[in-house]
Structure formats: structure tokens, C-alpha cells
């Protein structure tokens, strides 16, 4: 079912705690290299940071947490690093799902999963099914995900669902596309976090980040913890989200 809402069609409600946090978990390799360890050690530690962050977000009442685990461009990495990342993903699915279930966390995986080996796809299906009824927080893992892929697949799905759109392109609107995006079940992210010092979006949720607050930290992903999350939320809480309006419209009392 789609709960698609658009920040460009209507002004969303805003709280001091973000409803949806989306994170680019970057810096695993540099974390390891700075310790004279192989890059894979950084990825392994990264899994621990995922566990801690999932727990911390759930405790803070965040409803949706979305983590970028593997981009559609990460296939360009050396084959041995790619296969290690796949193995880590498989072992995390095998080991963590029971705990997710106990903690009331629903797992969703978005991305072009057909590229993955059958064992991984099977584990993803089982994990999604086992946690489907959980409602405390939705954890989305983006794997073989790309923002451009998402927009294109949504456009294709929209045309398949409503073939008449091809004859009436003017009816092809935000809603027609948005309801087919991979994360149509979630509101747009309120807060985007990228660890590891780079200030770019790297083909993450291109459509959905239209009005998301962006937060960049130099902390490498394996060092990201509850305190680092709180700093990001604090920065978020101090921002004025205007969605195109003036400051006086947002806080009339402060208009003076
Ligand atoms: C993020 O860390 C993990 C993935 C992209 C899978 P990196 O592996 O990109 O770490 P750096 O950026 O090389 O330090
Ligand atoms: C983005 O990190 C993708 C993930 C964290 C999964 P990258 O490390 O791959 O991004 P670039 O290549 O530096 O932009
Ligand atoms: Mg990186």
C-alpha cells in the first residue's frame, strides 16, 4: 500500500525529532586503512555501527530509518571487496532478523535485487516476511540501489499500471510516479546524514531528498554511535524548514 506524500505538493508537518532518517554509511574503508587494517575490517565494524544505530533510532521514536548499504555503482569495486560485502549482508540477515523481530522492527530492502545471488534474495524475502507485522520502526536497507534507477523503474511501473498515460502525458504527475517509487510506503526523509566527510549524494534517494535537511559529518561510519546520532538530530532540530515559504510564514511570532 502506498502512503506517498509529497513535500512539493503540500507542506509536511515538522517535529524536532525526524520521522524519517536516511543515512549514507561512508568511511568504512578509510576507518580500516587509518588503522593499517584491510578495508574489509572496516565493513565488518560497519555492521556493528548499523546494529547500534538501529537501536538508537528506535529508542528515539524515529519511525523510518533508511541505510544505504550498496549502491548501483559499487559493483565497480574490486571483485573480492564486492563478494565480501555480499557475504557480510548474508550473515547479517542470518544473524540479526530474530533481534529485529523482538525489537518490533520491520525490515524492507529496496534496490534491484535481481542482480543478487539466489541465497541472498531468499534471505531478504524471509526477513521481510518475518518482520512484516512489526510497527515500532521500519528499517530500510538500500542494496544495489540508485536514485536514477528508482525514478526510471517507477516511471516504467506507472506506464505499465496506467498505459493511457502514454497517450496523455499531461496526466503523468507526481502522484502517478511517486506511488511506484521503491519507498512509496514511507514519508520523504526529514534528515539525511552522510558520514565519512564527503559532501555528495552519490545517487541515493534523488527524488525523495527534495526538501530533506542535509547533515554531513567527518566521523567514519564504524565510529558513528548514539552520541553522533544525537548531534545530527540536534542540528536538525535547530533548522527552520520553510518548504519555499518565508521565515515569517513559518514562525509568525518571530516576524517582529
Ligand atoms: C561505505 O564505506 C561502505 C560501502 C560503500 C559499501 P566505503 O567502503 O565507501 O569507505 P571509504 O569511503 O572507502 O572510506
Ligand atoms: C555511497 O558511498 C554508497 C554507500 C554508502 C553504499 P561510496 O563510498 O560508494 O560513494 P562515492 O563513490 O565516494 O561517491
Ligand atoms: Mg566511500
Amino acid at each position: 500500500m502506498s502512503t506517498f506524500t509529497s513535500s512539493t505538493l503540500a507542506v509536511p508537518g515538522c517535529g524536532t525529532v525526524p520521522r524519517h532518517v536516511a543515512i549514507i554509511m561512508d568511511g568504512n574503508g578509510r576507518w580500516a586503512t587509518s588503522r593499517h587494517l584491510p578495508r574489509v575490517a572496516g565493513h565488518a565494524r560497519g555492521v556493528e555501527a548499523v546494529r547500534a544505530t538501529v537501536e538508537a533510532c528506535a529508542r528515539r521514536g524515529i519511525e523510518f530509518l533508511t541505510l544505504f548499504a550498496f549502491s548501483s555503482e559499487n559493483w565497480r569495486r574490486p571483485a573480492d571487496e564486492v563478494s565480501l560485502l555480499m557475504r557480510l549482508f548474508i550473515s547479517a540477515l542470518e544473524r540479526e532478523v530474530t533481534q529485529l523481530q523482538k525489537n518490533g522492527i520491520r525490515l524492507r530492502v529496496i534496490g534491484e535485487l535481481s542482480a543478487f545471488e539466489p541465497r541472498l534474495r531468499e534471505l531478504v524475502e524471509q526477513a521481510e516476511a518475518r518482520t512484516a507485522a512489526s510497527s515500532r520502526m521500519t528499517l530500510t536497507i538500500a542494496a544495489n540501489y540508485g536514485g536514477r534507477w528508482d525514478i526510471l523503474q517507477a516511471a516504467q511501473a506507472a506506464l505499465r499500471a496506467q498505459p493511457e498515460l502514454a497517450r496523455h502525458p499531461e496526466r503523468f504527475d507526481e502522484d502517478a510516479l511517486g506511488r511506484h517509487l521503491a519507498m512509496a510506503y514511507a514519508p520523504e526523509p526529514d534528515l539525511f546524514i552522510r558520514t565519512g566527510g564527503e559532501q555528495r549524494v552519490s545517487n541515493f534517494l534523488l527524488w525523495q531528498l527534495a526538501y530533506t535537511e542535509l547533515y554531513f559529518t567527518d566521523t567514519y561510519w564504524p565510529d558513528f554511535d548514539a552520541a553522533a546520532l544525537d548531534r545530527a538530530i540536534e542540528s536538525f532540530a535547530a533548522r527552520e524548514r520553510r518548504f519555499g515559504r518565508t521565515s515569517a510564514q513559518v514562525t509568525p511570532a518571530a516576524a517582529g
Side-chain angles (χ1 to χ4, degrees):
M1 198 194 58
S2 163
T3 55
F4 167 73
T5 51
S6 164
S7 59
T8 43
L9 295 179
V11 176
C14 301
T16 50
V17 175
R19 274 187 81 194
H20 183 177
V21 176
I23 307 182
I24 297 188
M25 310 183 287
D26 197 20
N28 291 352
R30 281 164 287 158
W31 179 92
T33 304
S34 71
R35 284 167 175 73
H36 309 287
L37 295 168
R39 290 177 56 86
V40 302
H43 296 314
R45 281 295 291 263
V47 176
E48 291 177 35
V50 168
R51 199 179 294 126
T53 302
V54 169
E55 260 187 57
C57 286
R59 270 192 260 110
R60 281 155 185 73
I62 288 160
E63 293 171 61
F64 296 90
L65 171 64
T66 302
L67 302 176
F68 204 5
F70 192 86
S71 75
S72 42
E73 289 70 45
N74 285 146
W75 298 105
R76 296 170 180 166
R77 294 190 177 199
D80 59 342
E81 180 165 341
V82 170
S83 84
L84 179 110
L85 286 166
M86 295 302 149
R87 283 207 299 283
L88 273 178
F89 194 16
I90 287 176
S91 74
L93 283 167
E94 285 170 341
R95 283 181 297 139
E96 308 289 340
V97 175
T98 305
Q99 198 57 38
L100 290 178
Q101 215 176 358
K102 277 191 194 142
N103 290 338
I105 293 162
R106 175 170 75 135
L107 179 75
R108 300 293 299 261
V109 179
I110 57 165
E112 199 171 4
L113 299 185
S114 59
F116 291 129
E117 56 180 279
R119 172 79 186 136
L120 183 45
R121 291 194 330 244
E122 193 185 312
L123 282 167
V124 165
E125 250 174 58
Q126 287 169 5
E128 288 185 332
R130 279 177 61 192
T131 61
S134 303
S135 58
R136 183 165 166 230
M137 183 177 86
T138 298
L139 167 64
T140 301
I141 303 291
N144 194 21
Y145 178 88
R148 291 186 177 179
W149 164 82
D150 197 4
I151 293 167
L152 286 170
Q153 71 76 27
Q156 291 162 5
L159 285 167
R160 271 194 297 273
Q162 292 173 267
E164 70 278 11
L165 288 176
R167 274 178 288 112
H168 302 281
E170 70 285 357
R171 291 188 203 160
F172 202 124
D173 58 11
E174 273 205 29
D175 185 61
L177 186 114
R179 62 175 63 247
H180 295 287
L181 289 167
M183 271 218 300
Y185 54 84
E188 293 171 23
D190 300 293
L191 173 62
F192 161 100
I193 299 172
R194 182 172 186 144
T195 62
E198 311 294 357
Q199 305 201 350
R200 54 178 172 253
V201 173
S202 298
N203 199 16
F204 196 23
L205 303 159
L206 298 180
W207 177 280
Q208 298 88 336
L209 292 175
Y211 271 104
T212 303
E213 295 298 327
L214 306 180
Y215 178 86
F216 299 94
T217 170
D218 289 337
T219 303
Y220 292 142
W221 176 250
D223 290 327
F224 193 83
D225 58 10
L229 174 70
D230 285 336
R231 284 193 290 277
I233 294 176
E234 205 178 299
S235 165
F236 172 82
R239 301 190 189 185
E240 182 178 71
R241 303 188 73 191
R242 293 192 285 276
F243 298 100
R245 298 164 299 169
T246 67
S247 188
Q249 288 174 292
V250 179
T251 47

